Amino acid sequence: VQLQASGGGLVQAGGSLRISCAASGSTFSIAGMAWYRQAPGQLRELVATASSGGRTEYKDSVKGRFTISRDNALKTMYLQMNSLKPEDTAVYYCNSGGYYIGTYYFAGTVWGQGTQVTVSS
């Protein structure tokens, strides 16, 4: 499996952006998928997850603003980001093959190359 993230850019605070992650390979529909982000000088953090069964989870600070979705026929995952804030500025990475054990999400081993999202104030 390979992942290709796209759709990042510069947006003003309060604006919206949708980023995408296109996957190759035949296992997309059964793979747990996730978006992570990493701001300069910060650790990479989990933003949202979408299981093969339709379960979605979000980081508290993005709940109500971000929506993760996946189209298994197109082998593509999306992150719709609304009401963006300057603190959402980061490189966003897609990840495949992750899973939950209890409330902890273990990242999969496949990562996309990242797409930069910059929110100006």
Side-chain angles (χ1 to χ4, degrees):
V1 175
Q2 290 185 320
L3 303 176
Q4 180 74 36
S6 62
L10 174 64
V11 62
Q12 288 188 330
S16 298
L17 202 60
R18 188 178 80 160
I19 56 177
S20 302
C21 176
S24 64
S26 60
T27 59
F28 179 85
S29 64
I30 62 172
M33 299 293 295
W35 286 102
Y36 287 76
R37 68 186 181 188
Q38 187 168 20
Q42 303 295 316
L43 296 175
R44 191 171 297 190
E45 62 179 6
L46 180 64
V47 176
T49 65
S51 75
S52 59
R55 170 186 177 184
T56 58
E57 299 286 347
Y58 298 91
K59 176 180 173 63
D60 284 347
S61 63
V62 307
K63 285 181 180 177
R65 300 189 297 123
F66 289 12
T67 303
I68 188 172
S69 62
R70 55 191 295 168
D71 186 326
N72 289 337
L74 296 178
K75 297 181 183 179
T76 303
M77 174 177 68
Y78 306 96
L79 186 67
Q80 176 67 44
M81 302 180 288
N82 299 326
S83 303
L84 281 161
K85 304 176 181 180
E87 52 264 42
D88 295 318
T89 295
V91 178
Y92 284 70
Y93 297 90
C94 50
N95 176 265
S96 176
Y99 53 92
Y100 277 100
I101 295 182
T103 59
Y104 189 83
Y105 190 79
F106 290 83
T109 58
V110 182
W111 293 90
Q113 87 286 7
T115 185
Q116 175 71 48
V117 172
T118 303
V119 184
S120 63
S121 58

